C-alpha cells in the first residue's frame, strides 16, 4: 500500500504545525505524528533544536513499549539514517515496530540521508507525501544545506530617481509609515540583520523589529560589518539579541552565520554594504521601497556594482509589486535564488 489516506494527509498538516513549535536554527523544524492502524493519533512529537531528540523519537517516547507496533509514522522530513547528536530515527522506528512511514521532504544531508531506503529494505512501507507546504516549512534550512550560507535579502529605500539621501547625506523618512511598518515586519521575519559600521555611526539605529500591534515580535540578531568601533553609547548596545561583529570577507562571514544557525539575513545597512553583497553575487532577494520624491545629486541607492558594460548588467525577476501608502515596494529576486 502506498496511496496516502485522508487521515495521513491530515496528520501531515498537524505534523507541520508541531514542527513550528521547535526553534529555527542549525537543525530543521520537524514534526511527527504516530497513527494507529485505525487512523487514531497515538502520539505527537517535534524537534526542539540541535542536540535534542528528533521528532520521531520524541513522539515514540510518549508511547509504551510495543504500542507503536503496526503503526504509521507521519514525519515532515525523511527519518534520518545517521548517528549524529542522536541515534538514527530510521532505526528507532524499526525497533518500535512501525509498519508504515509517510514523510514529506527528502533529507538532503550527505550523512543523514537514506533513512527511507533503510526502512524499505527492512520491510517497512514507505511513502512520500509531496506537498509544497512540506518544502515551504523548511525552505530556508534547505537553502542553507544547498548553499552553505543564509538566504540574503538586501533592502533599501530610494527616491523615484534612485537616490538614498539628499546631497548632505540626510536620509531620514524618505518613505512613509506603511513602508516603515513593512520593514519592521521584514526585520522580524529574518534571523539576523546586517548593517555597516558607517550606518551605525551615522544613524545610530536600534535594529529591533517594532511591529505595530505585536508586543513580542521575534528579534533578529544584529550583525555589524566593518572595522570601525561601535560607540559605547550606541543605541544598538541595548539590542535584546546582543551584537555580532563581522569582517569584510562576506562569504566567510555568511558561512559562519550559517554555522550558528542563522538561516536568513536582512541587509539593511546603506549603499556600501548593499552594493558589496550584490557585487559578490550574495543577494538572493531585493526589496526596494520607492518613494514618490526626487532627490537628484550624488547619493545613489547603490555604489558601483562592477557593471562596466551592458552585457554585465544584473538582470532580476520581479516577484512582487505592492503599494504601501504612497510608496511602492518592488521585490525582485536574482538568478541564484531557487
Ligand atoms: C529526523 N528527525 O526531527 C530532525 C532530523 O545533529 P543531529 O543528530 O540532531 O542531526 C541533525 C540532522 O538530522 C539534520 O541536519 C537533518 O538532516 C536531520 N534532522 N531528522 O529524522 C528530526 N530534526
Ligand atoms: Zn532523526
Amino acid at each position: 500500500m502506498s496511496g496516502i489516506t485522508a487521515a495521513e494527509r491530515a496528520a501531515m498538516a498537524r505534523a507541520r504545525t508541531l514542527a513550528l513549535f521547535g526553534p529555527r536554527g542549525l537543525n530543521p523544524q520537524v514534526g511527527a505524528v504516530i497513527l494507529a492502524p485505525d487512523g487514531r493519533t497515538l502520539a505527537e512529537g517535534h524537534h526542539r533544536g540541535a542536540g535534542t531528540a528528533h521528532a520521531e523519537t520524541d513522539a515514540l517516547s510518549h508511547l509504551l513499549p510495543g504500542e507503536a507496533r503496526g503503526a504509521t509514522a507521519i514525519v515532515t522530513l525523511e527519518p534520518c539514517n545517521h548517528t549524529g547528536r542522536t541515534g538514527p530515527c530510521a532505526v528507532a522506528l524499526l525497533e518500535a515496530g512501525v509498519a508504515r512511514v509517510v514523510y514529506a521532504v527528502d533529507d538532503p544531508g550527505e550523512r543523514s540521508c537514506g533513512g527511507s531506503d533503510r526502512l524499505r529494505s527492512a520491510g517497512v512501507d514507505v511513502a512520500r507525501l509531496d506537498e509544497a507546504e512540506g518544502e515551504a516549512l523548511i525552505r530556508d534550512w534547505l537553502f542553507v544545506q544547498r548553499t552553505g550560507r543564509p538566504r540574503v535579502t538586501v533592502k533599501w529605500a530610494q527616491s523615484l530617481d534612485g537616490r538614498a539621501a539628499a546631497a548632505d547625506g540626510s536620509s531620514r523618512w524618505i518613505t512613509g509609515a506603511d513602508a516603515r511598518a513593512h520593514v519592521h515586519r521584514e526585520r522580524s521575519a529574518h534571523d539576523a540583520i546586517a548593517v555597516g559600521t558607517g550606518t551605525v555611526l551615522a544613524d545610530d539605529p536600534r535594529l529591533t523589529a517594532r511591529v505595530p500591534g505585536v508586543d513580542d515580535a521575534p528579534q533578529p540578531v544584529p550583525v555589524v560589518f566593518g572595522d570601525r568601533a561601535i560607540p559605547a553609547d550606541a543605541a544598538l548596545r541595548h539590542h535584546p539579541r546582543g551584537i555580532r561583529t563581522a569582517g569584510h570577507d562576506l562569504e566567510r562571514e555568511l558561512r559562519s552565520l550559517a554555522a550558528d544557525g542563522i538561516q536568513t539575513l536582512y541587509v539593511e545597512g546603506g549603499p556600501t554594504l548593499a552594493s558589496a553583497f550584490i557585487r559578490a553575487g550574495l543577494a538572493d532577494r531585493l526589496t526596494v521601497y520607492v518613494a514618490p520624491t526626487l532627490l537628484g545629486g550624488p547619493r545613489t541607492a547603490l555604489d558601483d556594482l562592477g557593471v562596466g558594460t551592458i552585457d554585465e548588467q544584473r538582470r532580476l525577476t520581479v516577484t512582487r509589486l505592492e503599494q504601501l501608502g504612497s510608496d511602492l515596494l518592488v521585490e525582485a529576486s536574482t538568478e541564484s535564488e531557487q
Side-chain angles (χ1 to χ4, degrees):
M1 188 182 103
S2 51
I4 313 262
T5 68
E8 290 171 345
R9 225 169 253 285
M12 184 62 88
R14 173 66 186 154
R16 283 196 300 270
T17 302
L18 291 166
L20 293 173
F21 289 121
R24 286 169 64 85
L26 206 50
N27 274 2
Q29 292 163 298
V30 183
V33 174
I34 314 274
L35 295 179
D38 67 0
R40 242 176 341 116
T41 297
L42 290 175
E44 297 182 335
H46 70 277
H47 181 53
R48 292 175 177 75
T52 69
H54 284 186
E56 303 88 320
T57 43
D58 180 44
L60 290 172
S61 74
H62 302 308
L63 297 176
L64 299 169
E67 216 182 337
R69 201 152 294 286
T72 295
I74 313 290
V75 202
T76 57
L77 181 67
E78 178 183 17
C80 70
N81 191 29
H82 75 305
T83 302
R85 284 165 277 229
T86 65
C89 291
V91 172
L93 292 166
L94 280 175
E95 286 175 352
V98 163
R100 173 167 160 87
V101 172
V102 178
Y103 74 93
V105 179
D106 289 317
D107 189 323
E110 244 169 64
R111 289 184 322 112
S112 48
C113 71
S116 54
D117 289 341
R118 184 153 176 180
L119 286 160
R120 242 183 235 113
S121 54
V124 174
D125 179 27
V126 181
R128 190 163 159 247
L129 173 47
D130 189 12
E131 288 180 315
E133 293 93 332
E135 291 250 335
L137 174 69
I138 51 169
R139 176 172 177 257
D140 297 327
W141 182 80
L142 290 169
F143 183 92
V144 174
Q145 303 313 299
R146 197 172 63 238
T147 62
R149 64 169 179 82
R151 174 193 300 280
V152 174
T153 295
V154 176
K155 168 256 169 176
W156 70 85
Q158 65 170 49
S159 59
L160 198 54
D161 59 338
R163 302 319 202 264
D168 67 353
S170 56
S171 64
R172 280 240 157 129
W173 316 148
I174 299 180
T175 51
D178 290 356
R180 291 203 298 276
H182 193 274
V183 167
H184 281 281
R185 285 199 295 277
E186 284 272 271
R187 284 183 175 182
S188 187
H190 286 79
D191 298 325
I193 180 170
V195 292
T197 39
T199 298
V200 172
L201 293 169
D203 295 349
D204 194 23
R206 283 181 275 176
L207 298 183
T208 49
R210 301 181 296 281
V211 183
V214 181
D215 286 339
D216 54 354
Q219 296 296 324
V221 174
V223 185
V224 179
F225 282 80
D227 28 40
R228 279 179 288 173
I230 300 166
D233 60 351
L236 191 51
R237 295 216 176 261
H238 302 289
H239 197 285
R241 302 292 303 271
I243 305 173
R244 199 177 157 126
T245 53
H248 292 283
D249 185 338
L250 297 185
E251 297 226 20
R252 188 181 142 162
E253 296 298 346
L254 287 181
R255 277 196 302 275
S256 129
L257 289 170
D260 287 337
I262 302 282
Q263 297 175 8
T264 53
L265 180 69
Y266 189 55
V267 178
E268 212 193 330
T272 309
L273 196 63
S275 306
F277 273 93
I278 295 171
R279 212 167 32 237
L282 295 169
D284 306 298
R285 175 174 169 258
L286 305 180
T287 55
V288 184
Y289 299 85
V290 183
T293 184
L294 299 169
L295 294 171
R299 307 266 186 172
T300 52
L302 293 178
D303 300 338
D304 182 33
L305 296 180
V307 177
T309 177
I310 202 66
D311 292 343
E312 295 162 4
Q313 64 182 299
R314 306 293 185 100
R315 296 296 300 186
L316 306 164
T317 306
V318 172
T319 50
R320 181 167 160 196
L321 270 178
E322 193 179 334
Q323 185 153 4
L324 298 167
S326 50
D327 304 316
L328 194 64
L329 166 61
V330 183
E331 224 180 85
S333 94
T334 63
E335 297 282 294
S336 72
E337 189 177 31
Q338 290 151 30

